[in-house]
Amino acid sequence: MPERRTHAAGETVLETKGLTKIFGGLIAVNSLDLKVHKGEILSLIGPNGAGKTTVFNVVSGIYRPEFGEVFFRGERITGKKPHQIVSHGIARTFQNIRLFPDMTCRENVMAGRHCRSTSGLFSSIFRTPGQRTEEDMIKGTAEKRLRQVNLWKSRDDLAKNIAYGSQRMLEIARALASDPKLLVLDEPSSGLNPRETRDLMAFLQDIIREEDVTILLIEHDMNMVMGISDWVVVMDGGRKIAEEGIPDDIYADQRVIEAYLGKDDEDSTAYDVPAEH
Amino acid sequence: MERTPLNGIGRLASSRQLHIALATAVFLIYPFLVSDYFIDIAFYFGIYTLLGLSLNIVLGEVGLFDLGHAGFYAIGAYTTAILNTKFGIPILVLLPLSALAAALFAYVVCSPIIHLQGDYLLIVTLGMGEIVRLALINNPFDLTGGPNGVFGIDFPSLGPWLVIDSSLEYYFLIWLIVGLTILGLTRLQDSRIGRAWNYIREDETAANANGIDSRSYKLLAFVLGAALAGVAGNVYASKLMCVSPESFSFWESCLMFCIVLIGGMGSIPGVIIGAAFISLFPEIFRPFAMYRMLIFGSAMMLMMMFRPGGVWPRKRGAVKYESLLEGTGRSDA
Amino acid sequence: MHVILEQIINGLTIGSFYALIALGYSMVYGVLKLINFAHGDFFTLGSYLGYTVLVFGAALLTAHFGLWGALMAALIFAGVSLAIVGLIVERVAYRPVYPAGRLPAVVSALGASIFLQNAIMVVWGPRFQAYPAALIPNVHIQLGNIHLTLLQIVILLLSFVLMGTLYYIVQKTTFGAAIRATAHDRKTASLMGININKVILFVFTLGPALGAVTGIMVGMYYRQISFTMGWNYGLKAFTASVLGGIGNIPGAMLGGLILGVLEMLGAAYISAAWKDVFVFIILILVLIFRPTGILGEKTAEKV
Amino acid sequence: MKKFVLLVSVLFLVLGLGSAHAAKDTVVIGLQGPITGAWAYEGQMAKQSCEIAADLINKKGGILGGKKVVLKVEDDAGEPKSGALAAQKLVAQKDVVAVVSTYGSSVCEPASNIYEKFKKVNIGYGVTAVRLTQRDFSYFFRTCGRDDSQGKFFADFVPKKFNAKRIAIMHDNTAFGKGLAEDTRTALEPMVANGQAEIVYFDAITPGERDFRVSLTNLRETKPEVWYFTGYYAEAALLVSQARDIGITCPFVGGNAAINDEFVKIAGLSVAKGCYMTNEPLPGDLPYPEAKEFLEAYKAKFGDIPSSPWPIYAADALNIIAYAVDKSGTTDSAKLAAYLRDEVEGAPGITGPIGFTGQGDREGVPFYLYVVDDQGKIVVSK
């Protein structure tokens, strides 16, 4: 088990203040305050429908919050468009993998470079030297990331044709290709077998160690959560039910156990709705 | 069997070059072997290829259902017709102007509707195409000549040095434009813009989450597609020397849609095949008189039955890439 | 005032034609997410079949069943024939293509449309065909200053009865619930034990049959049919179904009626020549501000 | 790609060779017309008429001392692009002496540009747009009248006949219908200026539609005393029956495309009877011996006489080409065009003596006012 990195060590990378997202009459995220510090892995856990994915979608700009603010490295990014948020340095993956199925793995990873390149219509048509250099850089980064996740050999295969576990890694490689400061992973281990999960954990730890990146994670696999998180935040019903703590404390927290096991008559179906939107 | 990637590239490249050289040779020699009638058929084949290429950007590359593309074609043709007959502006000057007018029109009209998804975009573009056609018929500001259209359009010329007025010269004009367009579009396909279009087609949400401003790229596709359709309109107008609204009906939009889908979405050779099918088939089957459209309809159904992805779909991953980082050409990481 | 009332009644008549055709588009779209471009030609074919019965079988039929009987026979014959044609087209043009995605099905549908249209031309010839005059006594009805004909009233009644029946089937019966469930989410519906094939069968028989009946009504109303008329009606009806919310059955009816009335009012108070422009602009505005149509429900994508 | 290009080239070449050249003892005359498409009916009648005309000439021993007239037909599907292709195909065939071309002004326009460029005499038979003969072309002629001659006839004759001052003009937004409507309005202008007439309604309906009640209600509210519709019979029949339904009772006058036997069939006798139209003399009313001979031959072969005037003009276009070739003794285009323009005067035709103005227009095309009688026959109005 790696040594824990401490809060004090890093500046705040991501901060949400009173973040609230409402769907129809349903409060999916209820004035959530969250802080993610530089260089750490923070896991967001909670039962289905707790509003975790909604938090991700608000942070990455897919949803606009009703109330509250999102700050990224001190800058207010509330209500910015997804594509703008990527260029600020937040890259994400999706709960149910969203690759570009009919394009090659290499092209998939090159997508991550889009926000870091600038060639326009005319330089692309006339193949200006600048554009060519940039293309080489895009391809170079893609190669580097593909090699990192051991998919260089599949570079010319269509994304839909590679194994499920590889697709998960490809999506992470794509997110990493934009050189993000914050990597937001939505259940990266779901559908992976134990070996693949172990590889994934090792990979994430390598990344954290070697690169200037912070990771925010939604995860259901408790082994993984306990294994790699520096901090854990538990959500239920759109609220934070336990202050962020180290995994062992959270594991013992009575409220967390209740949230997961249910207190008999809590209308847990109501929670399911927001994530569907 | 050991497969060396470099060999693969070499083989592919040389056969590709051979094909292009052969095709170019055939296209250069062909018009000198046949009568003007067959040159004209090849000319209209060129027009449909250009139209197919222009719709392919929107429909094939980005996956936007545009069933009103004839509207842009019409804007290009009428811009040429009106400015040439009213102000005597030379056709070749109007070539970029028509493209610009169609592009501007696309920008203004598509901006508010670009967020619509799938079939809703389809019906809105269809409505837009119909609005253009109906407006042309109704002769707004006495500009479009109503159902009669505009007549007396010039042929393209550059002073006394370059005069394009025979079938042969029109043939070369349109295929030169098609050739340049193909060159440009092939380059775009292999650039961050072309890829961005494809990302949007594959999964718009994921594309956005990867930093692609899908709204701008979709608009760009419409604007560029419209500009090319405008160019086609310019050449068509000067070739026919007159334009009338019946040339820009909903049916023309349907034909362009079919060109892209018959050939294969996003595939440039596919567009050429689709355009060949659409423009040559009815001519070849002319002797069948009133049965020819029956055959045409059946052929469309059969093609989709046996080649639902198109006759010549774009093959991704066919070209094997070598490493940029290692420089040795070894492919195994 | 009387003029506007008269225009609205005219609009409702033509709107009910659009609505009945739009139902065919909307049902197929709801279940298969396919725009059935051949549907307009189902309508034409129905009209021609009814014409054939009325012209060549009328004497015989009238002798046995009377005028209304002959009319019923034409409606039933055309309806049943088109139900069969609908099934054949589904089998030949859509089923083999559908698994490959929605776009190839668009080309196939256009192909089927061209085929049907030209088949009609080959069989019945390129000329306009005149429906037998005075199938229904040519009675003029004048209410105050409003001019109506008996035929108009019969057509409106029949349309509303048909729409009402369909509405009842779809909204109140178990099978209707199955159709709605399939339209809402095909995958889940089939997991819930709904026989999707049966639903497809239903929409591909009922839609064309409704189209055929509409074809005969159009023939009687205007007394003139042509092999190309399906294209125009199809376009309008498709527009109507999108206006109402495509895939939504009450939406298609509402969309059709609204479109008909809008068209007539546009023609009356703006300009006959610009009325279609007016209709399409309204359509575009509706879709910009309510992208799923008037009654269409919002379905957001799960991210 | 390679295979494909080869395939296409081979197909082209086969097709090219397919059009074999005719023997020397014939004179080939082309016919471009809508054999398929929306106007297929007109095109096919024109083809039949030209066949009959050629047969009659050949039976009388042909031209140029025994050469047979041979007809070469190209389909233009009634659309401008196909029209241009058909023209291109005809000019490519050197043995085609001159062309009868075509039905529909917007189809004729691009085609006649091609004929002009390749110096081939082309004679329109169903092309009435005024502008066609205002282009200073040397090789374009027409045997039919122009829109403005009909409009002028209407203005001179119709208001007086019905003692009508309030005139409604309705067109169908097609090239032909709108052209005629505008020319009629122009022709009425002097009468409007001195208060003898008033145009109370001037608007379009959309062709291909079936419901015109709205436009008709508007028309009814203007209380016209005569109503002129310049479009085609398909819409005309609907218009009249719907107009009678909503209580419009004033006389209906159609242009020369509005009334024929189909019109009577669709509208029904009770509605159709008493409807008028301005028209060139119908085939049956032509007093000339050529007409009698032609119509008998046509009837013998096809069972009926043509139901519209245009095919007859096509036959006359063929006749005048044959006449000019025979009399001038040349098949050279330039000489032939000059001969047609300058020398032909009162040549015998089915539709009466044929001659051309300097612009290529037919000289003196007569118009009649027709009416549908109680039996549904279209007869000259007394």
Side-chain angles (χ1 to χ4, degrees):
Chain A
M1 190 155 290
E3 86 271 24
R4 304 274 177 211
R5 290 164 291 270
T6 60
H7 260 181
E11 55 184 289
T12 307
V13 172
L14 182 78
E15 183 171 11
T16 69
K17 285 183 184 163
L19 199 65
T20 302
K21 177 69 204 170
I22 303 171
F23 291 111
L26 215 116
I27 305 174
V29 177
N30 197 344
S31 60
L32 180 79
D33 295 324
L34 193 69
K35 269 190 181 176
V36 186
H37 297 273
K38 190 173 174 183
E40 69 182 18
I41 298 182
L42 186 142
S43 291
L44 203 53
I45 65 168
N48 273 336
K52 303 173 307 262
T53 298
T54 309
V55 173
F56 273 30
N57 285 339
V58 173
V59 166
S60 58
I62 290 175
Y63 296 151
R64 189 180 268 273
E66 269 70 30
F67 305 103
E69 303 287 353
V70 184
F71 293 92
F72 181 63
R73 307 211 296 171
E75 198 179 337
R76 187 176 162 277
I77 58 165
T78 326
K80 291 208 171 181
K81 297 254 161 56
H83 67 92
Q84 295 167 320
I85 285 175
V86 189
S87 50
H88 278 84
I90 302 180
R92 68 167 294 175
T93 66
F94 293 88
Q95 193 176 336
N96 38 355
I97 307 174
R98 300 191 77 147
L99 291 166
F100 306 117
D102 276 311
M103 297 174 78
T104 64
C105 292
R106 187 164 160 279
E107 286 171 320
N108 266 274
V109 179
M110 284 159 84
R113 262 346 259 176
H114 190 87
C115 61
R116 303 278 171 251
S117 47
T118 56
S119 296
L121 188 63
F122 289 95
S123 54
S124 297
I125 290 175
F126 294 105
R127 289 262 155 102
T128 56
Q131 190 260 355
R132 279 194 251 178
T133 319
E134 193 179 86
E135 276 289 300
D136 282 348
M137 277 160 62
I138 293 172
K139 285 166 184 164
T141 312
E143 180 175 349
K144 184 181 116 195
R145 292 302 184 187
L146 276 173
R147 286 178 189 277
Q148 254 179 342
V149 296
N150 279 326
L151 283 172
W152 176 243
K153 59 185 182 304
S154 307
R155 62 189 175 278
D156 293 320
D157 297 339
L158 298 187
K160 66 179 179 190
N161 292 340
I162 62 174
Y164 186 82
S166 305
Q167 293 188 355
R168 281 266 173 225
M169 295 312 290
L170 182 62
E171 203 187 11
I172 295 172
R174 183 178 71 185
L176 281 172
S178 66
D179 293 336
K181 298 290 176 229
L182 176 68
L183 184 61
V184 182
L185 305 174
D186 196 347
E187 296 192 31
S189 79
S190 91
L192 300 189
N193 63 34
R195 219 199 97 215
E196 287 170 328
T197 306
R198 271 199 307 280
D199 289 349
L200 172 67
M201 285 164 67
F203 174 73
L204 292 180
Q205 278 164 341
D206 284 351
I207 293 285
I208 275 283
R209 199 166 38 239
E210 286 162 16
E211 296 185 30
D212 176 24
V213 68
T214 305
I215 295 176
L216 174 60
L217 197 68
I218 292 178
E219 195 43 72
H220 276 301
D221 183 333
M222 276 305 150
N223 285 329
M224 175 148 168
V225 172
M226 296 304 148
I228 64 165
S229 314
D230 297 305
W231 299 96
V232 178
V233 170
V234 189
M235 278 184 76
D236 189 22
R239 290 173 179 279
K240 201 156 75 170
I241 59 167
E243 280 308 310
E244 45 207 72
I246 60 166
D248 293 342
D249 294 349
I250 292 293
Y251 210 40
D253 194 304
Q254 186 59 34
R255 285 168 300 181
V256 178
I257 296 165
E258 274 172 17
Y260 269 91
L261 299 178
K263 280 193 306 184
D264 307 329
D265 58 339
E266 282 287 313
D267 54 339
S268 57
T269 49
Y271 302 144
D272 284 328
V273 183
E276 298 295 325
H277 281 269
Chain B
M1 210 177 94
E2 185 78 15
R3 196 181 57 192
T4 52
L6 260 184
N7 253 352
I9 292 171
R11 212 171 33 236
L12 210 106
S14 71
S15 90
R16 190 186 150 96
Q17 277 162 7
L18 189 75
H19 284 181
I20 291 174
L22 248 164
T24 315
V26 169
F27 273 106
L28 286 179
I29 298 166
Y30 166 76
F32 296 102
L33 300 178
V34 297
S35 68
D36 274 2
Y37 167 65
F38 291 101
I39 299 176
D40 272 3
I41 288 181
F43 168 83
Y44 290 111
F45 171 24
I47 289 273
Y48 277 110
T49 306
L50 190 55
L51 289 172
L53 289 171
S54 79
L55 181 63
N56 184 47
I57 298 174
V58 182
L59 172 64
E61 301 288 353
V62 200
L64 299 171
F65 297 176
D66 171 8
L67 251 183
H69 212 65
F72 304 132
Y73 180 34
I75 298 282
Y78 270 83
T79 304
T80 300
I82 293 167
L83 292 182
N84 177 261
T85 53
K86 289 233 183 344
F87 304 105
I89 304 174
I91 297 294
L92 285 179
V93 175
L94 285 169
L95 192 79
L97 273 183
S98 302
L100 212 64
L104 194 71
F105 176 77
Y107 182 80
V108 171
V109 171
C110 293
S111 288
I113 62 170
I114 202 81
H115 63 282
L116 293 174
Q117 299 287 331
D119 297 320
Y120 292 98
L121 186 68
L122 179 138
I123 186 80
V124 167
T125 50
L126 186 160
M128 180 214 68
E130 282 295 282
I131 289 175
V132 170
R133 187 181 65 86
L134 292 164
L136 295 177
I137 292 179
N138 286 324
N139 197 7
F141 313 113
D142 215 15
L143 279 176
T144 66
N148 290 313
V150 181
F151 54 93
I153 303 163
D154 249 341
F155 40 80
S157 60
L158 261 184
W161 309 284
L162 175 71
V163 177
I164 297 171
D165 67 344
S166 72
S167 292
L168 187 71
E169 288 153 355
Y170 270 107
Y171 168 89
F172 282 118
L173 174 69
I174 189 70
W175 282 101
L176 179 72
I177 294 173
V178 169
L180 289 176
T181 307
I182 289 177
L183 186 69
L185 290 181
T186 325
R187 287 173 160 200
L188 268 188
Q189 278 188 337
D190 188 24
S191 77
R192 69 190 278 274
I193 292 176
R195 286 191 302 268
W197 283 338
N198 293 164
Y199 298 143
I200 294 169
R201 181 188 66 202
E202 297 283 302
D203 187 333
E204 190 171 342
T205 307
N208 281 328
N210 276 286
I212 286 141
D213 178 6
S214 62
R215 192 189 148 76
S216 320
Y217 277 98
K218 280 152 94 177
L219 262 180
L220 176 68
F222 262 110
V223 166
L224 202 63
L228 282 179
V231 170
N234 169 282
V235 181
Y236 177 80
S238 80
K239 166 78 184 174
L240 237 66
M241 299 166 81
C242 57
V243 288
S244 55
E246 58 216 349
S247 303
F248 310 100
S249 61
F250 175 50
W251 180 238
E252 288 291 310
S253 296
C254 287
L255 284 183
M256 294 178 213
F257 211 82
C258 290
I259 289 175
V260 174
L261 290 175
I262 286 171
M265 296 251 290
S267 156
I268 288 173
V271 165
I272 300 175
I273 290 175
F277 176 78
I278 293 295
S279 59
L280 303 185
F281 194 103
E283 288 298 323
I284 291 169
F285 283 83
R286 221 175 245 283
F288 290 83
M290 64 182 184
Y291 295 99
R292 76 186 159 123
M293 293 312 277
L294 269 179
I295 304 170
F296 186 62
S298 323
M300 278 166 73
M301 287 190 272
L302 284 174
M303 273 180 144
M304 288 299 113
M305 222 178 276
F306 294 107
R307 295 302 294 256
V311 178
W312 190 316
R314 183 163 171 197
K315 286 189 195 69
R316 288 184 181 273
V319 180
K320 301 289 171 215
Y321 281 97
E322 52 185 319
S323 170
L324 283 166
L325 298 181
E326 293 182 355
T328 60
R330 260 181 54 84
S331 62
D332 297 278
Chain C
M1 194 58 211
H2 66 278
V3 178
I4 191 169
L5 268 174
E6 205 174 311
Q7 306 290 33
I8 288 175
I9 292 171
N10 290 334
L12 283 175
T13 315
I14 190 165
S16 65
F17 296 148
Y18 292 157
L20 287 173
I21 307 170
L23 283 170
Y25 281 104
S26 220
M27 284 194 291
V28 169
Y29 187 87
V31 175
L32 286 174
K33 299 284 172 284
L34 163 77
I35 301 168
N36 180 11
F37 278 103
H39 188 65
D41 301 290
F42 291 161
F43 154 85
T44 318
L45 185 56
S47 192
Y48 270 87
L49 286 174
Y51 160 82
T52 309
V53 171
L54 289 172
V55 170
F56 298 105
L60 189 72
L61 285 164
T62 320
H64 285 84
F65 308 105
L67 199 63
W68 294 96
L71 198 56
M72 281 310 290
L75 288 172
I76 291 168
F77 175 71
V80 171
S81 312
L82 259 292
I84 297 168
V85 172
L87 280 183
I88 295 172
V89 169
E90 195 266 334
R91 273 296 156 95
V92 173
Y94 300 147
R95 191 169 292 190
V97 178
Y98 192 69
R102 299 176 45 210
L103 282 173
V106 170
V107 177
S108 197
L110 282 169
S113 168
I114 298 174
F115 181 88
L116 281 175
Q117 186 175 319
N118 284 280
I120 294 169
M121 186 196 82
V122 168
V123 174
W124 280 278
R127 301 167 74 153
F128 288 91
Q129 299 294 341
Y131 249 64
L135 274 172
I136 289 176
N138 197 5
V139 180
H140 289 246
I141 297 163
Q142 198 165 354
L143 299 166
N145 277 319
I146 303 172
H147 299 260
L148 287 176
T149 59
L150 178 62
L151 180 65
Q152 219 169 354
I153 293 165
V154 170
I155 284 172
L156 275 171
L157 279 178
L158 182 57
S159 311
F160 281 101
V161 167
L162 285 173
M163 283 191 264
T165 315
L166 188 71
Y167 185 81
Y168 176 80
I169 293 175
V170 171
Q171 303 292 20
K172 307 282 178 200
T173 66
T174 329
F175 188 63
I179 298 171
R180 280 181 292 138
T182 314
H184 191 261
D185 184 344
R186 189 156 158 227
K187 214 175 200 169
T188 313
S190 79
L191 290 175
M192 305 292 274
I194 291 171
N195 186 342
I196 303 289
N197 276 334
K198 229 165 134 186
V199 173
I200 294 177
L201 197 83
F202 177 80
V203 301
F204 265 101
T205 46
L206 198 65
L210 277 178
V213 170
T214 319
I216 293 179
M217 291 199 286
V218 164
M220 291 187 339
Y221 191 50
Y222 300 118
R223 287 207 284 280
Q224 175 219 68
I225 54 176
S226 76
F227 71 101
T228 52
M229 70 177 179
W231 194 242
N232 210 350
Y233 276 88
L235 191 65
K236 286 280 175 59
F238 175 54
T239 307
S241 66
V242 176
L243 189 67
I246 191 162
N248 181 308
I249 287 168
M253 302 180 194
L254 189 66
L257 294 174
I258 291 178
L259 193 77
V261 172
L262 271 182
E263 202 179 303
M264 288 292 136
L265 293 182
Y269 298 103
I270 296 176
S271 144
W274 288 93
K275 77 175 161 53
D276 283 356
V277 174
F278 171 71
V279 166
F280 280 116
I281 286 175
I282 299 267
L283 172 83
I284 291 174
L285 288 179
V286 168
L287 289 185
I288 288 176
F289 294 110
R290 203 179 151 74
T292 49
I294 297 171
L295 290 187
E297 45 193 305
K298 197 173 162 63
T299 51
E301 189 191 18
K302 180 173 176 172
V303 188
Chain D
M1 177 62 113
K2 182 177 60 178
K3 266 187 201 156
F4 158 72
V5 170
L6 272 175
L7 181 76
V8 171
S9 318
V10 167
L11 268 172
F12 278 166
L13 292 177
V14 168
L15 279 175
L17 295 174
S19 54
H21 292 267
K24 281 269 187 268
D25 57 347
T26 58
V27 174
V28 182
I29 298 175
L31 167 67
Q32 177 193 335
I35 306 298
T36 64
W39 303 113
Y41 183 53
E42 282 290 347
Q44 287 177 11
M45 282 196 310
K47 177 171 167 264
Q48 292 168 349
S49 298
C50 284
E51 279 167 4
I52 296 292
D55 275 356
L56 289 175
I57 294 168
N58 292 339
K59 271 190 201 130
K60 286 177 204 153
I63 53 175
L64 291 177
K67 288 189 183 179
K68 299 258 182 264
V69 173
V70 173
L71 189 67
K72 171 89 194 158
V73 186
E74 279 304 330
D75 174 24
D76 63 23
E79 57 182 40
K81 189 192 75 191
S82 300
L85 275 173
Q88 200 62 262
K89 198 165 183 181
L90 282 165
V91 295
Q93 297 167 41
K94 300 295 173 226
D95 56 337
V96 174
V97 172
V99 182
V100 179
S101 155
T102 178
Y103 182 79
S105 297
S106 63
V107 186
C108 176
E109 178 118 29
S112 62
N113 286 333
I114 289 169
Y115 292 126
E116 184 71 13
K117 198 164 92 190
F118 289 90
K119 301 188 178 15
K120 188 150 302 206
V121 170
N122 59 117
I123 306 188
Y125 65 86
V127 290
T128 54
V130 174
R131 71 168 195 252
L132 287 172
T133 40
Q134 292 175 335
R135 297 177 295 178
D136 290 328
F137 275 15
S138 310
Y139 296 91
F140 178 74
F141 301 87
R142 58 179 148 198
T143 49
C144 57
R146 310 199 315 194
D147 292 337
D148 56 352
S149 42
Q150 188 176 184
K152 198 161 177 323
F153 170 76
F154 179 92
D156 290 347
F157 198 78
V158 174
K160 233 175 281 162
K161 175 173 169 80
F162 297 107
N163 199 15
K165 201 177 152 199
R166 302 176 65 83
I167 297 164
I169 299 174
M170 186 185 261
H171 63 90
D172 64 354
N173 248 343
T174 61
F176 164 72
K178 195 175 183 193
L180 175 53
E182 280 169 354
D183 290 325
T184 308
R185 182 167 60 180
T186 312
L188 282 167
E189 257 162 24
M191 296 172 68
V192 173
N194 63 27
Q196 286 173 308
E198 187 185 347
I199 298 174
V200 293
Y201 181 96
F202 188 94
D203 201 358
I205 50 122
T206 313
E209 294 263 332
R210 291 191 154 56
D211 206 309
F212 305 113
R213 278 160 222 264
V214 167
S215 301
L216 287 169
T217 311
N218 287 349
L219 185 135
R220 183 185 69 199
E221 299 304 301
T222 64
K223 300 185 179 59
E225 287 160 353
V226 66
W227 164 31
Y228 193 35
F229 174 67
T230 60
Y232 293 86
Y233 68 88
E235 284 81 22
L238 293 173
L239 276 167
V240 181
S241 34
Q242 288 170 23
R244 300 303 181 230
D245 281 352
I246 65 162
I248 297 175
T249 51
C250 73
F252 172 89
V253 183
N256 55 356
I259 295 192
N260 55 18
D261 296 341
E262 292 292 303
F263 169 88
V264 179
K265 217 161 108 190
I266 295 165
L269 183 57
S270 63
V271 171
K273 75 177 174 206
C275 287
Y276 293 86
M277 78 163 161
T278 55
N279 206 14
E280 294 87 349
L282 281 178
D285 298 319
L286 294 164
Y288 313 102
E290 291 84 0
K292 196 161 169 283
E293 183 191 16
F294 173 83
L295 290 174
E296 271 168 10
Y298 192 100
K299 198 166 181 179
K301 188 155 180 193
F302 301 109
D304 199 357
I305 63 170
S307 60
S308 88
W310 311 112
I312 314 289
Y313 288 112
D316 257 356
L318 184 124
N319 282 337
I320 194 67
I321 291 169
Y323 173 86
V325 169
D326 192 37
K327 291 280 185 265
S328 66
T330 175
T331 55
D332 177 82
S333 278
K335 286 180 197 154
L336 202 58
Y339 187 82
L340 280 167
R341 193 176 308 279
D342 305 329
E343 307 292 331
V344 172
E345 191 81 48
I350 304 165
T351 56
I354 302 174
F356 295 102
T357 68
Q359 293 174 315
D361 276 323
R362 172 93 180 258
E363 266 166 358
V365 186
F367 274 88
Y368 291 176
L369 188 68
Y370 279 89
V371 67
V372 180
D373 73 6
D374 294 344
Q375 277 84 47
K377 293 263 184 307
I378 299 165
V379 297
V380 178
S381 166
K382 297 291 178 302

